[in-house]
Amino acid sequence: MTNARDHISLDEQARAVLRGNDRGGYSVPTDGLYPYQWNWDSGFAAWGFAQFDLPRAWSELETLFSGQWPTGMLPHILFHRPDPGYFPGPEVWGTEGLGPVPSSGISQPPVAATFTRLTYEKDRAAGRVHIEALYPKLLAWHRWFMQWRCHEGMIFVTHPWESGRDNTVDWDGPMAAIDPVGIDPYTRRDTAHVDPHMRPTKEDYDRYLYLVQRGRDLGWDDAKMADSMPFKVADPTMTFILLRANRDLLALAAELGEDSAEIEGWINVLEEGAERLRNPASGVFEAIDLKTGAHAGNVTSAAFLCWYAGIECPVMLGELMEAFEASQFPVPSQKVTDPKFDAMRYWRGPTWTMMNAITALGLIDMGHPDAAEELRIRSARLLAERGFAEYFNPHTGDPAGGGTFTWTAAIWLAWAS
Ligand code: 9YW
């Protein structure tokens, strides 16, 4: 374990990561690999900045919403400034004219309302003007999800990138059903920055690009996408995160004296939908391929967000206890005893500490402080010993992916330290 002096320097290091990835009003997830503004990364960045620079926390959220489409959709990437180091850039997405800033055509897990609320709680006086400005934008974004990405109370994704869990085993079935014919030739850039063994495969990438091309062909039209995208999967990450975000939006509505009936309605719908994600055979919350109706059959880190969404689940508590036994540094993105577990390959095994942070928020809210503390202590040890990497091997703690990562440094400051 670290002593108090180490902590001071670790805090300084974490702040230096946030400062280093600051591009003026917005953060990049990490230099090189991800040179633009990513949606849910910015939520975590705001949470990190809120620990030492409140105005900068607000500007992170406000710059993110500068890219909101008139439909309410908030893109997963904002391409503020051209950068040849990343593929696929704005020209591949073909979204010109659809939003105010060059962007992708899909969204990402809506953590922003939660981090708006947490920032406001640290900045009640000066923060009022910021929540007044952000509230209608958050409301429009959540309304977009409820209108265009909600199937029987479950939020579905039309692209693996939309979920934020690019190559999770949850997508294996639906991705295998896609034949990526007719994709334009392309050159990956990610594998020039990071060891290819830690990244999605070529088969995955072909399908990611195929789906971008399909969305582009549909003009990113919401109704057409809900109808015709070849990938349509109800996702526990999205459903739980939006449910939680609606509860936080409700609190902001109360603070501002806004009418909240619509948000209350969304919460009821999503609470019912979340139960549908539960696989009756295992009791675990799982993705569902809406093309076939099949549960994915995996225990992924997404399922542990149930408490964050305000849902109790003894089965998941049992899974969490098992995860504490099975590896030094849980929660793995795929259960370590599963044959598909792959310790270093992105969302197919590694531990993502930002997922741990929000899992722990939920555990505290739902009356499991000991489990939350265990998760925090192990995550803190991991970060103190191995640095602020993108993700980690749950057994050895080996760091993987991009180094000096914004959301990892942010959760050190806001939660782990
Ligand atoms: C991509 C930036 C993003 C995260 C996602 C993660 C990865 C790659 O990196 O996506 O090209 O969009 O899976 O959750 O937001 O850190």
Side-chain angles (χ1 to χ4, degrees):
M1 275 309 294
T2 52
N3 62 33
R5 229 175 119 240
D6 292 332
H7 265 264
I8 293 168
S9 73
L10 283 163
D11 286 359
E12 277 166 7
Q13 286 169 37
R15 285 193 291 266
V17 169
L18 293 193
R19 292 292 188 211
N21 290 338
D22 185 354
R23 294 292 176 273
Y26 73 93
S27 302
V28 296
T30 192
D31 198 38
L33 182 63
Y34 301 130
Y36 299 111
Q37 184 174 23
W38 260 260
N39 186 325
W40 69 329
D41 298 67
S42 271
F44 287 96
W47 197 26
F49 275 121
Q51 312 310 312
F52 66 102
D53 185 346
L54 285 160
R56 184 61 189 77
W58 291 119
S59 66
E60 185 76 33
L61 294 163
E62 285 159 359
T63 308
L64 179 63
F65 278 93
S66 74
Q68 186 167 35
W69 288 16
T71 58
M73 201 277 284
L74 190 62
H76 101 290
I77 309 176
L78 300 181
F79 303 107
H80 292 291
R81 294 200 291 258
D83 191 312
Y86 181 81
F87 177 86
E91 62 296 336
V92 181
W93 287 92
T95 54
E96 302 81 9
L98 295 173
V101 171
S103 73
S104 70
I106 54 172
S107 199
Q108 245 191 347
V111 294
T114 300
F115 293 124
T116 298
R117 182 183 180 188
L118 291 177
T119 304
Y120 179 63
E121 279 171 3
K122 286 183 145 314
D123 195 24
R124 286 191 164 265
R128 173 106 193 163
V129 49
H130 296 288
I131 63 165
E132 279 170 2
L134 286 167
Y135 177 81
K137 299 174 183 176
L138 289 161
L139 188 70
W141 186 26
H142 292 197
R143 190 180 285 136
W144 174 86
F145 271 115
M146 297 305 296
Q147 184 172 4
W148 298 114
R149 290 286 196 276
C150 187
H151 174 84
E152 297 181 349
M154 301 172 287
I155 302 301
F156 65 86
V157 288
T158 58
H159 193 298
W161 284 337
E162 198 159 42
S163 71
R165 300 187 298 136
D166 307 18
N167 65 341
T168 167
V169 290
D170 282 346
W171 317 144
D172 286 0
M175 287 288 263
I178 293 173
D179 183 9
V181 283
I183 47 170
D184 299 333
Y186 68 95
T187 306
R188 283 175 73 163
R189 297 270 181 253
D190 59 320
T191 43
H193 298 285
V194 167
D195 179 348
H197 293 103
M198 299 174 181
R199 296 288 304 175
T201 61
K202 179 184 182 319
E203 288 66 39
D204 290 326
Y205 246 78
D206 285 352
R207 286 165 179 78
Y208 298 157
L209 269 301
Y210 176 75
L211 289 169
V212 169
Q213 256 170 249
R214 287 297 295 266
R216 193 177 68 197
D217 292 346
L218 296 170
W220 303 107
D221 178 277
D222 292 313
K224 289 183 190 156
M225 286 183 68
D227 225 40
S228 323
M229 281 297 272
F231 185 90
K232 192 172 172 184
V233 186
D235 177 21
T237 332
M238 280 291 196
T239 307
F240 287 146
I241 288 178
L242 184 60
L243 179 46
R244 167 60 183 248
N246 279 329
R247 296 190 201 281
D248 290 317
L249 195 62
L250 193 65
L252 293 173
E255 188 70 24
L256 293 168
E258 296 281 348
D259 182 67
S260 56
E262 186 180 16
I263 305 170
E264 282 162 21
W266 295 340
I267 290 172
N268 292 336
V269 168
L270 293 173
E271 280 179 343
E272 279 184 30
E275 283 308 314
R276 293 196 177 93
L277 293 171
R278 210 190 276 274
N279 186 332
S282 61
V284 169
F285 297 104
E286 297 174 5
I288 300 179
D289 183 352
L290 295 180
K291 302 276 180 192
T292 63
H295 279 87
N298 305 305
V299 184
T300 70
S301 50
F304 295 89
L305 297 180
C306 56
W307 301 288
Y308 179 73
I311 294 173
E312 191 45 88
C313 182
V315 173
M316 288 314 304
L317 208 54
E319 288 289 344
L320 185 60
M321 296 308 132
E322 267 188 54
F324 282 134
E325 289 290 311
S327 72
Q328 275 194 83
F329 302 112
V331 174
S333 42
Q334 168 69 352
K335 190 168 179 165
V336 299
T337 51
D338 190 283
K340 287 184 177 169
F341 168 79
D342 188 343
M344 293 297 258
R345 201 181 282 277
Y346 218 35
W347 289 95
R348 301 180 73 85
T351 291
W352 294 70
T353 52
M354 31 60 82
M355 293 291 274
N356 286 0
I358 58 177
T359 299
L361 287 188
L363 286 165
I364 290 168
D365 288 352
M366 296 298 285
H368 304 294
D370 295 348
E373 185 58 5
E374 181 69 27
L375 200 50
R376 189 194 67 75
I377 287 170
R378 294 205 202 187
S379 303
R381 205 180 105 216
L382 178 62
L383 301 184
E385 289 174 2
R386 310 308 292 269
F388 304 120
E390 188 177 6
Y391 46 95
F392 300 88
N393 180 323
H395 289 303
T396 62
D398 287 342
T404 57
F405 222 83
T406 294
W407 60 21
T408 313
I411 63 104
W412 170 266
L413 294 168
W415 168 70
S417 65

